[in-house]
Structures are given as structure tokens and as C-alpha cells.
Amino acid sequence: MKRVLLTGASSGIGLAMLKELIKRDYYVYGIGRDFSTDTNGLASDKFRLLSFDLTDTVELPQLVKNILNDGPLDILINNAGVAYYGNHETISAENITEMVTTNLTVPMILSKLVLPAMKQKGSGMIVNISSVTAKSTNNTHGCAYGATKAGLSSFGMSLFEEARKSGVKVMNIHPDLTDTALYRNADFLPGEDNDAHLEAEEIAKMTVDSIDEMYRIPGLNISDITLRPQKNVIQKKQKN
Ligand SMILES: NC(=O)c1ccc[n+]([C@@H]2O[C@H](COP(=O)([O-])OP(=O)(O)OC[C@H]3O[C@@H](n4cnc5c(N)ncnc54)[C@H](OP(=O)(O)O)[C@@H]3O)[C@@H](O)[C@H]2O)c1
């Protein structure tokens, strides 16, 4: 059974990936801070949930060491992320730091920690859940968020070039507006109509399909996937 470390497994795209991976017989170590609600009723012995604040980058290596003591990891999925929106000067220094740490620093540290065993084995996959904002230079009201995602995609592309000769695969996923709680700090939401947003389950299925394909065709690396809804619509949140 392939063993996966998945960050942000407690909600949205990560929770959908947790369910999809379990269904397809992967064993998942899921990291999040709050597993109190949505993971209730997941009946399976193919996952372990770890409540941990990823911004604690001092304790993070020990957490990964404990997981690796159980055995090597086949896949790392860097999915946890956070977003704060607005004119850049309105975003607090704390929130900027939280975005950079969660969206960029943590994936770099986790990759560093899992790579030695992957390279030694001559196989392994690192999957980054980036964003379409990584490909745009027009992320107004999300300049810092977009920059963290551009950094993550750049990191993933270079890491692939560096690690490919060792058999390690790296895949960047770039979703557009997806109906999750990510917009809790925004004054807008993805459009309501079915063709104006993606569902977390759709991102999860495409990601796990691609992972399965790379196992089916060992010489293949799927480097980059971009997923967009047919229409580009956002809606302003109602003011209370
Ligand atoms: N929704 C979209 O439109 C969209 C589009 C493109 C890319 N993305 C990316 O997709 C990824 C998943 O986001 P989502 O849309 O599924 O949003 P979400 O429902 O808010 O999920 C975010 C996940 O990240 C975890 N997380 C955040 N900060 C954490 C921390 N300090 N420590 C541990 N876990 C932490 C959350 O866990 P807790 O809640 O338990 O803390 C949660 O499981 C993110 O990287 C996001 O940038 C989303």
C-alpha cells in the first residue's frame, strides 16, 4: 500500500483528496489543525490524522521523523494553504507571514525532509496544490497570496529538474475558483452557478487520477495541471 503525507486534510480540497486516496487503497497521514467536524464518520483504517499547526516550523521536522519511523513515504501532497485578500496595505504583517509560511516555506521544508528517502529508493512523488494565481501577474487584491503560489510553482518546477534523474516526480496543480472555505477572509466568493466554480471533489479526482497514471506509466511525469471553471464569475459577499 502506497503511503501518503497530505497537508490540509481537514477541509476542502484536502479532505476530498483524503477520501479519494483512501477509496483507492492509499494509506494517508493527514495533517490539519481542526479535524472536529468534516472527518467524522470516515470509516477506514487507512488513514491517521495528525492535529498540528504547520506554522510551527521548529517542531515540523520531528513530526515528519515520527511518521518516517513507521516506514518511508511514497507521496507528499503539499495542499495546506491560507489566503488573505484586499489592497496589499490592508493586510497585516502577521497574515502576510502566515501566508508565506503555510503556502511556501512549509512545502519547501516538507520536501526537504522526505526527499532523502525518496532519492534513496529511486522513486517518490511530490504534489503541490498551487493556484492559477501562480501564472498571473494581475492578482490585484491578492498580490501576496499570488506571490506565494508563484513561488510554490517555481519551486516545484525547479525541484523536478533537480530530482528527476533520481526517479522523483513533481507535479504542480493549478486550480481556479473552487467552492471551499478558502474565501473565509475575502469579501467575495466563487460564482454560484455550476459552471462558475470547481468542486473540491473534482480537483481531488484529477489529482489522484494523475498520481495513478504516473504509477501506471513509470516513465511519465505530469508536471503541470491547470483546472478552470467554464465561466469566470465571482460574487460579492452580502454585508450583515
Ligand atoms: N478554493 C480555491 O478556490 C483554491 C484555488 C486554487 C488553489 N487553492 C489551494 O488549495 C489548497 C486547499 O485549500 P482549500 O480551498 O481546500 O481551502 P480550505 O478548505 O480552507 O482548506 C485549507 C486547509 O489547509 C489547512 N491549513 C491551513 N493553515 C494550516 C496550518 N497552519 N496548519 C495546519 N493546517 C493548515 C486547513 O486546516 P485547518 O482548517 O484544520 O487548520 C485546511 O485543511 C490551498 O493551498 C489553496 O491555496 C484553492
Side-chain angles (χ1 to χ4, degrees), residues 4-19 21 28-33 35 54 75-83 99 101-108 110-111 125-131 145 148-149 152 171-176 178 180-182 184 199-201 203-205 207-208 211 227:
V4 185
L5 175 56
L6 167 67
T7 67
S10 55
S11 96
I13 295 169
L15 178 61
M17 278 196 287
L18 173 69
K19 291 177 181 168
L21 286 161
V28 185
Y29 292 86
I31 300 179
R33 284 170 302 192
F35 287 103
L54 288 162
I75 305 172
L76 164 65
I77 306 181
N78 288 310
N79 164 73
V82 64
M99 279 192 282
T101 306
T102 311
N103 301 357
L104 186 55
T105 310
V106 166
M108 287 179 180
L110 287 175
S111 300
M125 285 185 205
I126 296 178
V127 179
N128 297 316
I129 306 300
S130 184
S131 159
Y145 173 76
T148 64
K149 293 298 186 177
L152 179 62
M171 173 167 70
N172 287 334
I173 309 278
H174 298 97
D176 201 344
T178 308
T180 69
L182 188 76
R184 60 175 74 72
E199 301 291 348
E201 292 71 21
I203 312 292
K205 187 171 178 308
T207 304
V208 184
I211 290 171
L227 299 161

Side-chain angles (χ1 to χ4, degrees), residues 186-189 192 235-240:
D187 63 357
F188 65 93
L189 289 167
E192 225 172 340
Q235 48 175 330
K236 277 269 175 200
K237 278 184 189 168
Q238 305 281 0
K239 285 213 171 83
N240 293 324

